[in-house]
Amino acid sequence: MRYQDETARRIVEHLWDREDELIDFLKALVHRETPSANKPANEEILLFLNEAYSDLGYISRHLPGIRTGGALYARPVERKKHQPIQLLIGHADTVWPKGTIGSMKVEEEDGKVRGPGVYDMKAGLTQIYFALKTLDALEIEAPVLPLVLINTDEEIGSFESTRHIKRLSRIATRAYVLEPPLGTEGKLKTGRKGLGRFKISVEGVAAHAGLDPEKGTNAIVELSHLVQKLYAMNDPKRGITVNVGTIEGGISPNVVAPMSRAVIDVRVLNDADGKFITEQIRQLKAESDQVKLTVEGGIGRPPMEKTERNQKLWKVAREEGRRLGLELKQATAGGGSDANTTSLYTATLDGLGTPGDGAHASHEYIIKNKLIERTALLSLLLMTAPKNAES
């Protein structure tokens, strides 16, 4: 790294001196396997993190979940009167079932750290903790009070934790989301597509396929017409994608199918297109008046748009990166995250995690030496004045 000032140099050197500590902490997180649906496993990792933040001198408490492991909330003990706050968000849950660690070993190899969940996103959780720990050790006081929220249901839509995210985002000056960056070059995510789920159910009329097929109305045939109409809604230029991900139907080969269903994934770049495509899907009509058509669902995660305040925060990150000799780039991601929610209420920057590859894939890894680099970047971002993120 080519340091542009003394503070950047001190932060980086402090972190390099503690590289083994960072890697050990990261491995401890990865070894704690946390599939989203496993409530006890996620409660256990939050207990581990709770103890870590308590040792840092933070007020740390578990926000219990009903069906999930809940979330961890942490903040410094002292807060100056009227001091603005900044939100740091990460998730502890992963897509990997218990026991995956047997085939996806946690190991260092060829400058990489491998393991289930290491990239998405336990490296990001490590960065949050050690950025805050670094500022504390170097006695650097952040002008904006950091609040940490780590949930355990992001991979399944944050259905329990979104209320906490909304509440904190509304009072925050800015939000930093430690999801993985885009690509091994580590592009920060300044835009994310909104995500929708729709279910289409077709109720036809059963009949014997050999004796009197004309008395039936085949729900599968009707669904096939609808599938073509759905695919015609794709608009690459506008960034609208409509994908029929699963279909099912019928009860037996010798019965005219009385039912069929399809689940559709929709992605959009902005709220207007979300409303547009929702209306298009809800207005679908069957070709036969002998079937009953039901359309359910909608846009669950609104898009993270490249708003003026988000772009201002991106420019701050770009300048802070230059203090470390980094030339950061921005990009838009096709998937959603909790940044889609925070962006509705405050300036948001996502993809601040450690570069690597293999999210949700068996080759998942981070680039080892980038962990220090990205932790240093987050440390500098935490120190910036609140005016930098205002809209």
Side-chain angles (χ1 to χ4, degrees):
M1 292 184 185
R2 305 183 303 277
Y3 317 121
Q4 300 298 314
D5 57 58
E6 179 65 15
T7 300
R9 184 192 64 78
R10 289 177 62 210
I11 288 173
V12 173
E13 288 184 354
H14 176 85
L15 287 167
W16 274 117
D17 287 344
R18 287 153 184 81
E19 183 190 18
D20 289 345
E21 187 181 349
L22 269 79
I23 296 297
D24 288 344
F25 187 89
L26 172 59
K27 288 181 178 179
L29 293 179
V30 179
H31 274 291
R32 288 170 168 82
E33 295 182 279
T34 48
S36 304
N38 191 317
K39 182 177 180 180
N42 280 289
E43 289 175 335
E44 193 275 333
I45 199 171
L46 292 188
L47 177 61
F48 173 81
L49 290 165
N50 181 67
E51 292 174 353
Y53 279 99
S54 296
D55 290 343
L56 189 56
Y58 273 48
I59 296 172
S60 182
R61 63 189 180 95
H62 179 220
L63 306 175
I66 298 173
R67 293 163 51 195
T68 73
L72 181 77
Y73 168 82
R75 72 166 179 83
V77 174
E78 296 183 3
R79 179 187 179 185
K80 295 178 181 178
K81 191 174 182 179
H82 304 306
Q83 184 179 10
I85 68 169
Q86 55 190 333
L87 184 58
L88 292 92
I89 291 187
H91 67 86
D93 63 318
T94 75
V95 299
W96 300 106
K98 273 275 195 177
T100 300
I101 207 165
S103 57
M104 287 178 65
K105 302 291 185 183
V106 182
E107 58 186 1
E108 296 178 50
E109 181 185 28
D110 300 327
K112 301 171 181 176
V113 181
R114 303 180 183 276
V118 67
Y119 177 58
D120 187 15
M121 57 161 287
K122 290 178 178 178
L125 299 185
T126 302
Q127 290 171 240
I128 294 174
Y129 179 67
F130 278 90
L132 295 170
K133 193 171 184 179
T134 295
L135 297 188
D136 180 69
L138 298 180
E139 298 183 338
I140 299 173
E141 184 176 352
V144 186
L145 187 79
L147 302 184
V148 179
L149 185 73
I150 299 171
N151 63 0
T152 60
D153 60 349
E154 192 277 340
E155 294 290 3
I156 51 176
S158 304
F159 66 96
E160 286 192 345
S161 61
T162 292
R163 62 190 180 97
H164 300 304
I165 296 168
K166 287 181 177 180
R167 176 174 58 85
L168 295 173
S169 298
R170 285 188 176 102
I171 61 173
T173 298
R174 61 197 178 211
Y176 295 128
V177 182
L178 274 293
E179 288 279 353
L182 200 62
T184 54
E185 65 270 42
K187 294 178 182 178
L188 300 188
K189 297 172 180 176
T190 55
R192 279 187 177 272
K193 284 190 174 183
L195 170 63
R197 287 282 190 275
F198 294 84
K199 184 172 80 170
I200 294 179
S201 302
V202 182
E203 183 180 334
V205 180
H208 194 291
L211 297 178
D212 46 7
E214 69 281 352
K215 292 183 180 180
T217 304
N218 196 309
I220 293 177
V221 173
E222 288 298 327
L223 182 60
S224 70
H225 298 314
L226 294 170
V227 168
Q228 298 305 312
K229 293 176 182 178
L230 286 163
Y231 267 90
M233 295 178 188
N234 278 283
D235 190 338
K237 290 183 179 179
R238 290 170 64 175
I240 297 174
T241 60
V242 180
N243 181 64
V244 180
T246 64
I247 59 173
E248 60 177 325
I251 55 176
S252 176
N254 64 346
V255 177
V256 175
M259 53 72 64
S260 63
R261 284 185 287 270
V263 179
I264 299 96
D265 177 285
V266 172
R267 310 281 169 134
V268 294
L269 283 171
N270 55 65
D271 184 60
D273 282 344
K275 292 177 180 177
F276 167 77
I277 201 66
T278 296
E279 183 178 1
Q280 294 294 107
I281 293 174
R282 291 192 175 277
Q283 288 180 350
L284 283 170
K285 303 294 183 184
E287 294 196 2
S288 170
D289 57 8
Q290 299 300 308
V291 304
K292 179 182 177 182
L293 182 64
T294 304
V295 179
E296 303 171 276
I299 303 296
R301 269 192 172 148
M304 174 189 176
E305 300 187 37
K306 291 190 176 183
T307 61
E308 182 181 354
R309 65 188 177 192
N310 287 354
Q311 283 296 292
K312 284 184 178 180
L313 192 55
W314 146 247
K315 291 173 182 176
V316 171
R318 186 175 58 187
E319 291 305 311
E320 294 304 308
R322 285 171 178 162
R323 294 173 65 185
L324 298 168
L326 305 176
E327 285 298 328
L328 299 172
K329 296 180 180 180
Q330 62 174 323
T332 297
S337 81
D338 290 324
N340 293 54
T341 300
T342 62
S343 181
L344 297 173
Y345 306 102
T346 191
T348 298
L349 187 60
D350 195 3
L352 286 162
T354 302
D357 194 23
H360 304 187
S362 59
H363 67 284
E364 184 172 5
Y365 70 87
I366 62 161
I367 302 170
K368 182 179 176 181
N369 63 9
K370 297 294 184 180
L371 179 62
I372 297 294
E373 182 180 282
R374 287 305 175 108
T375 305
L377 174 63
L378 181 60
S379 300
L380 292 176
L381 285 171
L382 292 172
M383 296 164 52
T384 58
K387 64 181 180 180
N388 290 326
E390 292 175 355
S391 59

